C-alpha cells in the first residue's frame, strides 16, 4: 500500500442511496465492497465505527431491521461500502426473506464494480452453517472474500486467535481475518487499510 493510504484511514462515509428492489439499484462507476452477515452480527455498528459517527447507520436491538441495500460512499477514498440485509434471525415471512435473497443475488451477480464481499462473523461462535454457505457461494462466484470477526470485546485473546485460524483455513480470504470491535474500535484501522487497499487495486493499471 502506498504512503498516502497508510496515513489516511478516515473513510468519510455518507449515505448515498438505498434500494429495496432490484430496479432501484444505483448505477455507480465507483468501486464497491459489500458487507454481509447474520442479522445480529453488528453490521450497522461496524459502519458507524468506520464512519466515526454514531447514527449514520441505524442500529436496533431487534435483529433484521436492515431490509434494504444501503450504499455508503467514502468521500475521501472514492469507493462505496454496500450494507446488505442480514440473514438468519429476521422475524419476517418466508416470502420477505425470499425477496431479500433475490435482491442480494441480483446485486452481487450484476454489479461489475463489486471488488469483494466482507463477511462479518460473530467472533464468539465456531463456524456456523449459514456463514460457511455464504463464503462457499461467494467463492463459487469467484468473488474475493474479506473476513471480519465482530464482537471481539466479548472474547478472550486465545479464542480470537482460534477463530482467525479456523476462518483463514475455511475461507482462504484475500487478507488475514480481522478481529473487530465496534465498541472499543479494535481492528478499525486494520479494516480501513484493507478496504482502501482493495479499492486501490481496482484503480491500479494492468501489468504490462
Amino acid at each position: 500500500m502506498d504512503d498516502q493510504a497508510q496515513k489516511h484511514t478516515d473513510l468519510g462515509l455518507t449515505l448515498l442511496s438505498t434500494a429495496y428492489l432490484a430496479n432501484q439499484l444505483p448505477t455507480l462507476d465507483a468501486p464497491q465492497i459489500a458487507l454481509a452477515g447474520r442479522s445480529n452480527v453488528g453490521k450497522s455498528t461496524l459502519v458507524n465505527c468506520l464512519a466515526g459517527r454514531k447514527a449514520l447507520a441505524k442500529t436496533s436491538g431487534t435483529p433484521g431491521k436492515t431490509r434494504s441495500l444501503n450504499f455508503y460512499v467514502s468521500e475521501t477514498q472514492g469507493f462505496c461500502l454496500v450494507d446488505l440485509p442480514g440473514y438468519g434471525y429476521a422475524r419476517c415471512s418466508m416470502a420477505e426473506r425470499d425477496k431479500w435473497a433475490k435482491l442480494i443475488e441480483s446485486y452481487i451477480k450484476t454489479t461489475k464494480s463489486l471488488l469483494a464481499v466482507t463477511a462479518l462473523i460473530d467472533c464468539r461462535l465456531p463456524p456456523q452453517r449459514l456463514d460457511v454457505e455464504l463464503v462457499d457461494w461467494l467463492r463459487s462466484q469467484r468473488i474475493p472474500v474479506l473476513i471480519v470477526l465482530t464482537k471481539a470485546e466479548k472474547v478472550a485473546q486465545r479464542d480470537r486467535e482460534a477463530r482467525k485460524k479456523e476462518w483463514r483455513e475455511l475461507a482462504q480470504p484475500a487478507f488475514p481475518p480481522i478481529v473487530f470491535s465496534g465498541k472499543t474500535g479494535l481492528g478499525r484501522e486494520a479494516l480501513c487499510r484493507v478496504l482502501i487497499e482493495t479499492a486501490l487495486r481496482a484503480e491500479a493499471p494492468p501489468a504490462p
Side-chain angles (χ1 to χ4, degrees):
M1 190 188 307
D2 63 21
D3 291 341
Q4 183 179 6
Q6 289 179 351
K7 291 177 182 177
H8 300 288
T9 55
D10 176 16
L11 300 184
L13 294 178
T14 59
L15 181 62
L16 176 68
S17 180
T18 295
Y20 289 89
L21 301 170
N23 62 10
Q24 295 175 339
L25 293 173
T27 301
L28 303 172
D29 293 329
Q32 298 178 45
I33 302 171
L35 305 174
R38 297 173 75 95
S39 299
N40 64 342
V41 80
K43 288 192 285 89
S44 296
T45 300
L46 179 141
V47 170
N48 289 335
C49 180
L50 294 182
R53 296 165 58 186
K54 291 183 178 180
L56 177 61
K58 294 181 180 179
T59 59
S60 170
T62 303
K65 282 294 186 182
T66 302
R67 302 191 177 191
S68 58
L69 272 67
N70 297 318
F71 293 76
Y72 298 95
V73 64
S74 170
E75 296 183 341
T76 59
Q77 306 297 336
F79 68 90
C80 280
L81 275 184
V82 185
D83 184 13
L84 307 180
Y87 54 85
Y89 288 122
R91 292 181 180 178
C92 62
S93 68
M94 189 61 70
E96 184 78 3
R97 293 190 196 187
D98 226 26
K99 186 175 76 172
W100 297 352
K102 289 177 181 176
L103 177 60
I104 292 170
E105 186 172 355
S106 175
Y107 166 74
I108 289 176
K109 286 188 172 182
T110 62
T111 303
K112 294 181 180 179
S113 60
L114 180 64
L115 303 180
V117 172
T118 305
L120 274 59
I121 294 163
D122 193 327
C123 195
R124 299 171 297 177
L125 304 173
Q128 303 290 295
R129 177 181 59 83
L130 289 175
D131 296 327
V132 174
E133 287 177 354
L134 168 68
V135 167
D136 286 346
W137 184 77
L138 291 170
R139 292 180 63 191
S140 76
Q141 300 296 311
R142 299 184 182 278
I143 297 172
V145 179
L146 310 175
I147 298 291
V148 176
L149 301 170
T150 64
K151 305 189 179 183
E153 77 279 359
K154 301 180 180 181
V155 182
Q157 178 67 25
R158 180 181 62 184
D159 294 328
R160 294 177 192 169
E161 292 303 316
R163 290 290 94 79
K164 285 171 65 176
K165 183 175 185 295
E166 287 172 334
W167 280 105
R168 188 166 55 243
E169 294 173 354
L170 274 171
Q172 300 176 24
F175 294 88
I178 295 172
V179 172
F180 183 89
S181 169
K183 292 193 174 181
T184 69
L186 175 68
R188 179 190 180 278
E189 293 301 307
L191 178 54
C192 286
R193 287 194 295 268
V194 164
L195 294 173
I196 292 168
E197 184 167 339
T198 301
L200 286 176
R201 285 181 176 181
E203 299 173 0

